[in-house]
Amino acid sequence: MADRLPPWARLARPAAWPLRLRVALAFLLAAALALTLLGVFVQVRVADALEQRTHDLLEAQAEGLVAVPRAERVARVEAMTGDIHAQLLDGDGRPLASSPLVAGPLVSAADLAALPPRGSWSADRVVVVLDDDAVAAGDQRAEREPAVLLVTRADQQLVAVATSREDIEEALDAVRVQLVTGVPLALVVAGALGYLVAGAGLRPVERVRERAARISDRSSGERLPVPPAHDELRRLVVTLNAMLDRLDDGLHRQRRFVAEASHELRTPLTLLRTEVDLALARPRSNEELSAALRSVGQETTRLTVLAENLLTLAAADEGRLALVREPVDLAELARRVVERFAPSASGPISTTGDDAVVVHADRERLDQVLSNLVDNALRHGAPPVEIDVRLDGERVRLTVTDHGRGFTVQDPFDRFVSTHGSAGLGLAIVKEIVAAHDGNTYLVRRDGTTSVVVDLPAGAR
């Protein structure tokens, strides 16, 4: 449903935005938050620094006035014409002297009541002073001005000094202007860098995507490039390569299944066609027709067995190999298989081992395992063929041995089945059935004999 939406509607949903854009926007938002917090911090710190500087300046002026004798204090106060205004008061708060620009009392009655018995006192107040520019032009115009006021006690007198907050506010306004103009520019640069960094960070993902797009059933052996960094992308690629291994294994099993099916079905179908052609080539007697039908029947039976084997192998490859477990005497089952194969075998077949070995397994599937192993030994090995069944603790060992030439290497059974197609479907089916019973299968080549050993749990359910 989402794919049917128009492009503008999809772009309205953040989840539909390109990953690179979302990463860049996230980086931009993080940078905006960081710069905003930094701007607030800088403004607060500058304001504190300016306040502290102003307070230190007022304290220095007040200490200078307190340090002079009382007789000189009045003259010093009346001579102050700079940015700092001063006023000298008696113990009751009446003005004794004021600096030239002071046009009213610096300390109110409320301030006098708030003064501590000793030490200094500071506060923000609005004071009435003369405009210095207007005074220079001969105009005695007074104005109310926000100021920082500091009051200090000295020899039964009060020394009040004040300075305008205009310089503080101008400095803070300059900081705000710098932040308002600099932060957006920094965000533009951060957004561009975030977009470039996101592109560089996603470049390995794009390489993985390009390689994945090239992998097909004809190049199933290729794998995705594993990034060198031990990060989330590397773990993702390793997981995807493991998935490709499983898919490749399934594809190889499918190809093997088709190849083995074609190989196994070709011979009986060719024989059937030959028997029918020979029977129809010229008039035949009843005996000849009966013999031809018997041969056709044998090949049909073989085709039926092949079809069942193919279905078993297909079910095992798909994980659908069903088992009907019951107590099975494996030694007795081996003897029955020997009786079935003995009449048509090219050499002796025998059983050895324990007289009775009971396992909890699928009788029909174990019969299929024994039959395929004996058939493989007779067709691809050499007599005599021996079936040995023994109980070894909690395990059961089923060994089928022939005296053929065998192989010169100790192949793992899985590799042997996948690389030696001449062995047909029999051993592949043996491997799958034994695995379904939680068992193992392996080959042993010793003293001129070849053995297939099946290891099964004795009583596991």
Side-chain angles (χ1 to χ4, degrees), residues 7 36 54 78 87 91 118 155 164-165 198 239 282 296 379 393 430:
T36 301
T54 301
E78 291 178 347
Q87 196 171 61
R118 62 179 60 87
D155 301 331
S164 173
R165 294 189 61 88
T239 302
R282 58 182 178 81
V296 169
R379 287 175 23 179
V430 168

Side-chain angles (χ1 to χ4, degrees), residues 220 247-266 306 309-319 321 412-433 435:
S220 59
L247 293 176
D248 191 31
D249 183 61
L251 182 61
H252 283 310
R253 288 201 305 268
Q254 182 183 21
R255 288 174 175 170
R256 184 197 68 191
F257 176 81
V258 173
E260 291 177 347
S262 301
H263 173 76
E264 294 292 337
L265 291 174
R266 185 181 297 112
L306 282 175
N309 288 341
L310 291 174
L311 290 175
T312 300
L313 189 58
D317 285 343
E318 296 177 4
L321 188 60
F413 191 75
D414 289 353
R415 187 187 305 169
F416 173 83
V417 170
S418 61
T419 56
H420 294 83
S422 61
L425 295 176
L427 294 184
I429 293 172
V430 168
K431 179 179 76 71
E432 298 295 345
I433 293 177

Side-chain angles (χ1 to χ4, degrees), residues 317-354:
D317 285 343
E318 296 177 4
R320 298 185 294 102
L321 188 60
L323 300 178
V324 180
R325 294 180 182 268
E326 59 180 326
V328 179
D329 187 344
L330 193 56
E332 175 61 25
L333 188 61
R335 289 189 287 269
R336 292 185 180 181
V337 170
V338 168
E339 292 175 359
R340 187 165 66 246
F341 277 89
S344 60
S346 58
I349 308 176
S350 61
T351 62
T352 59
D354 299 332

Side-chain angles (χ1 to χ4, degrees), residues 95-350:
L96 299 176
S98 299
S99 58
L101 296 181
V102 175
L106 296 180
V107 182
S108 66
D111 293 338
L112 290 173
L115 290 177
R118 62 179 60 87
S120 300
W121 175 84
S122 178
D124 289 338
R125 289 293 181 266
V126 176
V127 298
V128 179
V129 296
L130 299 178
D131 186 348
D132 53 351
D133 293 332
V135 169
D139 186 2
Q140 298 294 318
R141 184 174 68 247
E143 63 179 3
R144 296 174 63 83
E145 182 177 84
V148 180
L149 175 66
L150 177 69
V151 180
T152 301
R153 296 183 181 275
D155 301 331
Q156 305 299 320
Q157 293 180 340
L158 298 177
V159 177
V161 291
T163 186
S164 173
R165 294 189 61 88
E166 183 178 354
D167 292 342
I168 297 176
E169 297 300 329
E170 288 180 355
L172 289 177
D173 288 340
V175 172
R176 294 189 190 100
V177 170
Q178 294 295 327
L179 291 175
V180 169
T181 56
V183 168
L185 180 61
L187 289 178
V188 172
V189 175
L193 288 177
Y195 191 77
L196 295 176
V197 171
L202 293 174
R203 196 169 295 122
V205 179
E206 181 63 19
R207 288 197 293 268
V208 170
R209 186 202 63 79
E210 291 175 354
R211 177 70 66 84
R214 294 197 301 267
I215 296 177
S216 65
D217 58 343
R218 296 185 178 182
S219 58
S220 59
E222 293 188 24
R223 293 297 177 265
L224 303 177
V226 179
H230 292 271
D231 54 8
E232 292 81 0
L233 179 59
R234 180 186 179 92
R235 292 195 293 272
L236 174 62
V237 172
V238 170
T239 302
L240 291 177
N241 281 337
M243 180 190 69
L244 290 174
D245 289 338
R246 294 191 298 270
L247 293 176
D248 191 31
D249 183 61
L251 182 61
H252 283 310
R253 288 201 305 268
Q254 182 183 21
R255 288 174 175 170
R256 184 197 68 191
F257 176 81
V258 173
E260 291 177 347
S262 301
H263 173 76
E264 294 292 337
L265 291 174
R266 185 181 297 112
T267 299
L269 288 175
T270 301
L271 291 175
L272 277 176
R273 182 65 184 179
T274 301
E275 291 290 346
V276 172
D277 288 343
L278 289 176
L280 296 176
R282 58 182 178 81
R284 300 286 182 175
S285 65
N286 291 336
E287 290 76 8
E288 290 175 331
L289 289 176
S290 296
L293 288 175
R294 282 192 297 271
S295 178
V296 169
Q298 292 174 355
E299 295 303 324
T300 302
T301 301
R302 184 179 176 188
L303 280 175
T304 302
V305 173
L306 282 175
E308 292 177 352
N309 288 341
L310 291 174
L311 290 175
T312 300
L313 189 58
D317 285 343
E318 296 177 4
R320 298 185 294 102
L321 188 60
L323 300 178
V324 180
R325 294 180 182 268
E326 59 180 326
V328 179
D329 187 344
L330 193 56
E332 175 61 25
L333 188 61
R335 289 189 287 269
R336 292 185 180 181
V337 170
V338 168
E339 292 175 359
R340 187 165 66 246
F341 277 89
S344 60
S346 58
I349 308 176
S350 61

Side-chain angles (χ1 to χ4, degrees), residues 27-48:
F27 185 81
L28 181 61
L29 291 176
L33 178 61
L35 289 176
T36 301
L37 294 176
L38 178 62
V40 172
F41 175 77
V42 168
Q43 185 173 351
V44 171
R45 292 294 297 169
V46 169
D48 289 343

Side-chain angles (χ1 to χ4, degrees), residues 50-60 121-122 148 150:
L50 292 174
E51 294 284 354
Q52 185 63 41
R53 175 180 173 275
T54 301
H55 191 271
D56 292 343
L57 182 61
L58 291 176
E59 280 192 341
W121 175 84
S122 178
V148 180
L150 177 69

Side-chain angles (χ1 to χ4, degrees), residues 382-384 386 401-410 443-451:
E386 298 174 355
T401 303
D402 68 80
H403 291 72
R405 295 179 58 187
F407 299 93
T408 59
V409 295
Q410 298 287 84
L443 294 175
V444 176
R445 177 69 181 171
R446 184 186 300 115
D447 299 331
T449 64
T450 301
S451 300

